[in-house]
Amino acid sequence: MLVVKKFGGTSVGSLERIEAVAKRIQKDVQGGEKVVVVVSAMSGETNRLIGYAEHFSKLPSPKEMDMLLSSGEQVTSSLLSIALNALGVQATAMTGREAGILTDNSHTKARIESINNQPMLRALHEGKVVVVAGFQGINGSGDITTLGRGGSDLSAVAVAGAISADLCEIYTDVDGVYTTDPRITDKAKKLEKISYDEMLELASMGAKVLQSRSVEMAKKMKVKLVTRSSFNDNEGTLITDEEDIMEKPIVSGIAADKNQARVTLRGVADKPGIAAEIFNALAKAHINVDMIVQNMGKDGRANLGFTVPRTEVEQAKRALTEFHGDVENIDYDDTIVKISIVGVGMKSHSGVASKMFNTLAQSNINILMIATSEIKVSVIIEEKYTELAVRSLHSAYELDA
Ligand code: ASP
Ligand code: MG
């Protein structure tokens, strides 16, 4: 079995941790696995390097930043390879360049364009463990590029796709994907399996185990992913194609996203093109608008409500100043939360949303906004009800451990 194993920053955060990872790989190799390892920088290292650069400049050149930041992953890949060889496991370390990872030209947020798998396959054929520095590649001119924060996950999935690995294991400091945030309820359970689409919905809303781009790529390249802990031997969570999941739960998980704020525009001039102008202005300011509701006001004026990330409220205020003439008043509320239920089984079941609304009503929680998609129902409620809402929904959909 050919397996790509990716170890994140905390998993290789000290020399002791690197040693533990080396021993774990040794066991897997003795058990017959062929292994390509992808590593992150030691935890905190990338931020430390960014701090160094900022000592000299607020706007360091992206090309130099890539050269600087890529060094963090080179340290861990070479050290892990040295540790493996010291244990008698034949290993070789590769930078992104040596591993044949070619990207586009966008420094600090490059996209992988292709991977020449020959160097990795050759080393595997010689019986070696290949240890690849994550997060990096080279562009067409041979300059080092990096893939954006959290990009080692993406390196691992891309490498797994390029060498047709049977599995891509992502090792972190959590056991896998849970039905909801275990800090909210101790009844949260670890999921055995989840589909790519469910994972994408949960990841974009706070269940941050895996970088979203890497899940998208895994789906496209049909790479089976497992997230598990490097601190114990527990089985993790398999993230795979919907077809591989026989029993599709109606609701697989519940996410609570507090990075939300509600903007309400009252008394908006009811004329063609006004919504377009407002959302164009927000788009120009690069603000991510999520839920949108419009309703009839009175005297030919309408009310318009929408949500934006809480971190973007100030930008939204600035972008909306030009509309003061067309709008009676604008208010901002950042004491809200978005609660979402996610599950592929929803596609073939009715009554899923109404159960959510009934459950919240029984707890006396008022719903401020609603949005639905094929596999998700989201509501906006007051932030102070987060725990109550998540706990009552978790038991209503029979997810309690
Ligand atoms: N070291 C990089 C970062 O901190 C990449 C990664 O860890 O995935 O963003
Ligand atoms: Mg990460």
Side-chain angles (χ1 to χ4, degrees):
M1 184 149 116
L2 178 56
V3 186
V4 172
K5 297 173 192 277
K6 184 259 172 179
F7 292 90
T10 52
S11 298
V12 292
S14 65
L15 300 183
E16 291 72 31
R17 290 299 313 155
I18 293 175
E19 172 100 41
V21 166
K23 286 189 174 143
R24 178 165 200 139
I25 294 167
Q26 179 182 38
K27 242 207 280 168
D28 293 337
V29 169
Q30 285 166 350
E33 285 184 11
K34 282 183 172 295
V35 179
V36 173
V37 187
V38 175
V39 286
S40 286
M42 295 167 88
S43 58
E45 181 63 11
T46 307
N47 288 338
R48 194 172 66 91
L49 294 170
I50 292 173
Y52 282 175
E54 286 176 348
H55 176 79
F56 300 105
S57 165
K58 279 275 149 276
L59 267 182
S61 129
K63 175 174 170 288
E64 273 67 38
M65 281 311 278
D66 277 351
M67 186 162 165
L68 176 68
L69 298 190
S70 64
S71 69
E73 272 71 9
Q74 293 188 31
V75 169
T76 39
S77 54
S78 43
L79 285 177
L80 181 57
S81 180
I82 290 169
L84 283 164
N85 281 296
L87 290 172
V89 181
Q90 278 199 69
T92 181
M94 293 185 186
T95 62
R97 176 201 306 271
E98 288 161 335
I101 300 173
L102 193 69
T103 73
D104 66 10
N105 283 321
S106 1
H107 281 290
T108 75
K109 45 177 187 301
R111 293 187 158 269
I112 297 177
E113 282 184 341
S114 64
I115 297 184
N116 171 12
N117 63 13
Q118 289 307 306
M120 286 187 283
L121 292 181
R122 221 177 294 127
L124 285 168
H125 187 72
E126 290 164 6
K128 290 179 182 149
V129 171
V130 181
V131 189
V132 180
F135 178 55
Q136 58 182 277
I138 54 164
N139 64 20
S141 342
D143 298 326
I144 299 176
T145 52
T146 63
L147 309 176
R149 297 308 303 269
S152 296
D153 289 348
L154 199 64
S155 306
V157 173
V159 164
I163 61 172
S164 307
D166 299 295
L167 195 64
C168 179
E169 293 179 328
I170 310 279
Y171 287 87
T172 66
D173 48 10
V174 292
D175 276 350
V177 184
Y178 281 75
T179 49
T180 194
D181 186 340
R183 287 169 302 186
I184 295 182
T185 168
D186 55 11
K187 298 198 175 91
K189 289 194 297 251
K190 190 178 67 198
L191 292 158
E192 205 180 302
K193 284 183 183 180
I194 187 171
S195 70
Y196 296 119
D197 290 326
E198 289 168 314
M199 186 62 202
L200 283 168
E201 293 290 4
L202 291 170
S204 62
M205 293 180 303
K208 284 239 156 36
V209 202
L210 262 175
Q211 191 212 37
S212 291
R213 264 172 82 198
S214 66
V215 181
E216 277 160 20
M217 183 182 279
K219 179 182 174 185
K220 210 164 61 195
M221 301 184 81
K222 294 195 180 306
V223 169
K224 284 189 168 54
L225 281 175
V226 167
T227 76
R228 57 190 300 186
S229 171
S230 69
F231 294 80
N232 60 46
D233 286 323
N234 298 346
E235 300 280 330
T237 301
L238 173 67
I239 302 158
T240 185
D241 213 84
E242 201 181 309
E243 269 83 73
D244 297 335
I245 301 174
M246 298 298 281
E247 232 181 290
K248 297 182 181 41
I250 297 171
V251 172
S252 298
I254 300 172
D257 179 2
K258 291 190 179 176
N259 183 21
Q260 294 280 328
R262 181 166 62 138
V263 183
T264 312
L265 281 63
R266 289 199 185 77
V268 181
D270 204 0
K271 60 180 187 194
I274 183 75
E277 282 173 38
I278 290 170
F279 292 110
N280 281 343
L282 293 163
K284 245 202 274 155
H286 301 289
I287 294 162
N288 273 306
V289 176
D290 184 17
M291 293 191 194
I292 302 175
V293 198
Q294 180 180 300
N295 51 37
M296 294 285 278
K298 35 181 200 287
D299 308 327
R301 290 189 165 242
N303 297 329
L304 188 60
F306 53 88
T307 58
V308 298
R310 212 177 271 183
T311 42
E312 293 172 12
V313 168
E314 287 311 314
Q315 285 125 284
K317 281 185 184 165
R318 244 173 286 139
L320 291 172
T321 46
E322 59 175 289
F323 295 100
H324 278 313
D326 291 315
V327 177
E328 276 163 13
N329 76 70
I330 306 180
D331 65 51
Y332 298 87
D333 180 0
D334 61 2
T335 59
I336 56 161
V337 62
K338 179 163 84 173
I339 307 286
S340 306
I341 56 172
V342 175
V344 282
M346 272 180 212
K347 290 185 195 171
S348 50
H349 282 83
S350 56
V352 183
S354 66
K355 183 173 192 162
M356 181 182 202
F357 307 150
N358 282 324
T359 306
L360 295 172
Q362 274 157 22
S363 299
N364 246 317
I365 298 171
N366 194 28
I367 298 172
L368 306 172
M369 284 174 146
I370 299 171
T372 62
S373 77
E374 220 184 4
I375 63 164
K376 178 177 77 169
V377 184
S378 302
V379 297
I380 297 288
I381 59 171
E382 279 183 75
E383 184 181 3
K384 62 181 179 200
Y385 296 125
T386 306
E387 283 73 20
L388 179 61
V390 169
R391 288 185 194 133
S392 39
L393 292 168
H394 201 263
S395 63
Y397 290 103
E398 290 165 33
L399 296 172
D400 284 355

